[in-house]
Amino acid sequence: MRLTRDVAVCALTAGFLAAATGGQTRDDGSRWWSYVEYLASDQMQGRQTGSPEHRKAAEYVAAQFERDGLKAAGEQGYIQPVKFKTLQLDEAHSSLALVHGGETQKIAIGPEAIISARVDPAPKVSAGLVFVGYGLRAPESHYDDLAGLDTRGKIAVYMGGGPSTMSGALISHYSSSAERWKAFRSAGIIGAIAIPNPKHMDLPWSRIAASRTQVTMQLAAPGMSETEGEQISIAWNPEKAEDLLRGTGHTLDEIVAAAEAKKPLPRFQIPATLEATAAVKRGEVESQNVAAIWPGSDPKFKDQYVVMTAHLDHVGFGAPIDGDRIYNGAMDDASGVASLLDIADRLRSTAAKTKRSLLFVAVTGEEKGLLGSKYFAAHPTVPARDIVADINCDMFLPLFPFRLVTVYGLDESTLGNDVHAIASKMRIRVQPDPEPSRNVFIRSDQYSFILHGVPSLMLDFGAEKGSPEADIQKRWLSERYHAPSDDLNQPVDKVAAAEFNTFIMKLMERVADAPARPEWKRESFFSRYRASAR
Ligand SMILES: [Zn+2]
């Protein structure tokens, strides 16, 4: 079985791989891995946005693009500088408390709850609380968690996820911080407390809490803040949710059980006040997007661009785990940038010709809230209307052979048809997002392009529910995701990564050569953004 499949893959890819590797008919993934090794080495110190090491990584990527004959497409050569305001919670001068009746209960920042510096917090907040279910408002689904509740001047408490009556894409969209804040603000809400659904947490609470010392960033360019006016944003440890729910007659177990049974969540007033003091240290940094073009060959189409994105940044240093405080981000997302570089190398070595141009963008600030891609999509270095698609690669997790591809956004645009065409040629099976409640569709850089009307996809290694591969993925998320162990000392299937890169390259070539540019499906929720782009 194994051998037959390998032969089939070899036959399909032999054409350019023979050229790429001097007659060798199989890409063993070592070239792709060599890029990961550079970007995720300890010397890169976790590629924190705005750090000297991130700049060094950006210059490395630019040098590879140049070597491969790609045209500079930044503002200063290959580099597009991006300016950020930085925020860091000054924990010694910050506090949280719940007031029930006359009694004040101090809340330990870290073990019990954290104040997110992604929203610029007001110095002091004192407000009532209301539990608003999932905290979603989706007019097209006639769904409104805020309707009929007294929400004025209050802090909304909600649980992550969404109702079974809404599509995964719709839940993802309305769970984004921008859309959620729009709905909350219009209901007079002043801040939010998110309780993660303990059944769908990527990270154990201890690691969420450990991330609270991270510097957060906002784009410095005017008009780019999505949470203007939000006074406080808090994440609450689900194991401590009973403190919040005291006196309501409701428990988190009951709420989680309702969510898991796909029943409506209760919504209710909470007879308590939250008191918060938030002190913040502020600063400024500059970081880098890196952009390069493989020019198209067709006079009619070469001014259109098929974009491939991956994020260059990771989270730098963090709380030590087993004595290691460098968060290398090998899979998140040195692996994706390495795929950009691997494909750029293959284009050169095969002297590939595509009708449309291919635009490679290694973006910064993803871990800070998709900020580098948000900036690039708002200030593209090619005309916005000429960007026809974005294919994003973020943490695709080549931990086992590549037989199934998970495609986020599969049913939203004609790009899904292109995926199916490549997949059937390569004998790879295709599945849509298997766990929409994780909101992956809005959690990486494709979303920045979607908001500008660009049909987009993100692709990952797929695993069937309940399979050993699904176990491997789950274990990776709980043990290595945003931990120092996402480094170069982990088992990775390099051959499978090379096959994945073949898949992405063929997909980009197919889209670049197609007679028509990709289109959102008419019934897709995201087609609403189309008009704004053209
Ligand atoms: Zn990440």
Side-chain angles (χ1 to χ4, degrees):
M1 279 295 281
R2 183 68 205 275
L3 184 68
T4 317
R5 177 178 164 273
D6 288 348
V7 169
V9 170
C10 285
L12 280 163
T13 57
F16 69 84
L17 287 180
T21 58
Q24 211 178 304
T25 51
R26 173 145 185 168
D27 187 329
D28 64 2
S30 56
R31 186 182 49 233
W32 168 80
W33 181 248
S34 71
Y35 302 127
V36 179
E37 279 182 319
Y38 183 90
L39 295 167
S41 68
D42 279 356
Q43 283 78 34
M44 285 292 127
Q45 299 189 1
R47 307 182 308 281
Q48 173 73 288
T49 299
S51 69
E53 292 76 20
H54 183 289
R55 169 172 281 284
K56 203 172 155 206
E59 284 164 358
Y60 170 79
V61 170
Q64 303 307 311
F65 282 149
E66 188 167 22
R67 184 205 61 188
D68 291 330
L70 275 70
K71 245 175 57 192
E75 291 163 6
Q76 298 169 3
Y78 293 87
I79 304 285
Q80 179 185 47
V82 188
K83 288 194 163 71
F84 297 91
K85 295 190 290 184
T86 64
L87 288 162
Q88 190 173 23
L89 195 72
D90 176 2
E91 219 167 272
H93 299 100
S94 302
S95 64
L96 286 175
L98 281 172
V99 183
H100 295 272
E103 177 208 337
T104 299
Q105 179 191 1
K106 256 186 85 77
I107 301 298
I109 295 179
E112 293 179 68
I114 61 172
I115 300 175
S116 162
R118 213 164 257 188
V119 165
D120 194 349
K124 260 191 189 320
V125 177
S126 174
L129 301 166
V130 56
F131 186 81
V132 294
Y134 296 112
L136 297 176
R137 177 185 273 170
E140 48 281 272
S141 295
H142 308 286
Y143 185 88
D144 189 353
D145 276 326
L146 308 175
L149 277 176
D150 176 13
T151 52
R152 296 263 137 215
K154 291 193 174 153
I155 292 171
V157 181
Y158 68 91
M159 193 173 75
S164 57
T165 50
M166 272 164 73
S167 71
L170 214 53
I171 292 171
S172 292
H173 172 76
Y174 283 112
S175 301
S176 68
S177 48
E179 291 300 320
R180 197 188 289 280
W181 177 238
K182 259 188 237 166
F184 281 3
R185 190 179 47 196
S186 71
I189 290 164
I190 63 148
I193 297 177
I195 308 174
N197 181 335
K199 301 265 189 215
H200 302 286
M201 284 167 76
D202 284 351
L203 288 178
W205 179 262
S206 58
R207 292 242 304 285
I208 295 176
S211 72
R212 74 189 187 279
T213 50
Q214 281 279 324
V215 169
T216 66
M217 297 188 188
Q218 298 183 350
L219 286 167
M224 305 279 303
S225 167
E226 291 165 340
T227 54
E228 205 77 64
E230 187 163 0
Q231 295 185 30
I232 192 140
S233 168
I234 291 169
W236 204 280
N237 183 352
E239 280 178 25
K240 305 286 181 179
E242 300 317 324
D243 289 334
L244 261 179
L245 301 176
R246 184 139 62 97
T248 64
H250 294 277
T251 65
L252 190 70
D253 285 349
E254 164 217 339
I255 295 165
V256 169
E260 296 306 300
K262 305 190 186 306
K263 292 192 184 130
L265 299 194
R267 300 176 304 132
F268 48 86
Q269 299 295 327
I270 296 175
T273 304
L274 184 96
E275 297 197 334
T277 310
V280 170
K281 295 178 205 157
R282 287 164 216 278
E284 285 173 3
V285 293
E286 186 175 297
S287 196
Q288 302 83 29
N289 289 334
V290 192
I293 291 170
W294 182 258
S297 58
D298 186 299
K300 210 168 85 209
F301 286 138
K302 69 178 171 36
D303 293 332
Q304 295 183 5
Y305 300 88
V306 179
V307 178
M308 179 179 176
T309 43
H311 71 90
L312 185 58
D313 66 300
H314 192 59
V315 299
F317 291 111
I321 298 179
D322 296 333
D324 187 0
R325 55 189 287 266
I326 303 175
Y327 286 56
N328 304 73
M331 295 300 105
D332 185 12
D333 182 29
S335 66
V337 176
S339 293
L340 288 182
L341 297 179
D342 191 29
I343 291 172
D345 188 296
R346 294 180 188 204
L347 290 169
R348 173 188 57 85
S349 60
T350 60
K353 266 198 175 14
T354 55
K355 289 184 177 171
R356 292 184 179 81
S357 297
L358 308 181
L359 171 57
F360 296 87
V361 192
V363 293
T364 189
E366 192 273 349
E367 301 289 359
K368 309 298 178 192
L370 318 184
L371 298 181
S373 60
K374 190 179 169 194
Y375 186 82
F376 186 88
H379 306 92
T381 52
V382 300
R385 65 175 179 281
D386 295 329
I387 296 178
V388 305
D390 175 47
I391 311 293
N392 188 46
C393 287
D394 184 2
M395 218 173 86
F396 55 89
L397 295 186
L399 307 176
F400 39 76
F402 184 48
R403 299 199 176 104
L404 173 65
V405 63
T406 295
V407 183
Y408 301 93
L410 180 66
D411 299 323
E412 307 297 334
S413 74
T414 56
L415 290 172
N417 310 344
D418 298 308
V419 166
H420 283 295
I422 302 299
S424 78
K425 274 194 216 151
M426 286 183 67
R427 300 180 192 206
I428 304 284
R429 284 171 302 116
V430 179
Q431 70 174 6
D433 186 349
E435 204 181 347
S437 57
R438 283 181 61 222
N439 281 334
V440 171
F441 196 51
I442 65 160
R443 275 170 57 185
S444 191
D445 294 302
Q446 70 279 357
Y447 197 57
S448 299
F449 289 84
I450 291 169
L451 294 177
H452 286 270
V454 179
S456 303
L457 296 177
M458 182 166 77
L459 288 78
D460 279 354
F461 273 54
E464 250 131 40
K465 257 195 183 145
S467 66
E469 287 82 9
D471 250 25
I472 293 173
Q473 276 181 346
K474 220 180 160 84
R475 223 173 330 123
W476 190 94
L477 286 174
S478 69
E479 287 168 10
R480 296 190 193 265
Y481 176 55
H482 280 216
S485 56
D486 177 15
D487 62 10
L488 298 171
N489 302 312
Q490 61 182 309
V492 172
D493 188 334
K494 295 171 191 135
V495 170
E499 287 173 4
F500 180 83
N501 293 345
T502 301
F503 192 103
I504 299 287
M505 179 162 162
K506 285 181 175 293
L507 177 61
M508 289 182 72
E509 288 177 328
R510 180 183 161 95
V511 176
D513 288 339
R517 59 192 282 168
E519 288 290 349
W520 291 103
K521 294 201 174 146
R522 195 187 305 270
E523 66 277 14
S524 168
F525 168 80
F526 299 99
S527 65
R528 69 182 55 196
Y529 297 112
R530 184 168 33 193
S532 68
R534 312 271 168 87

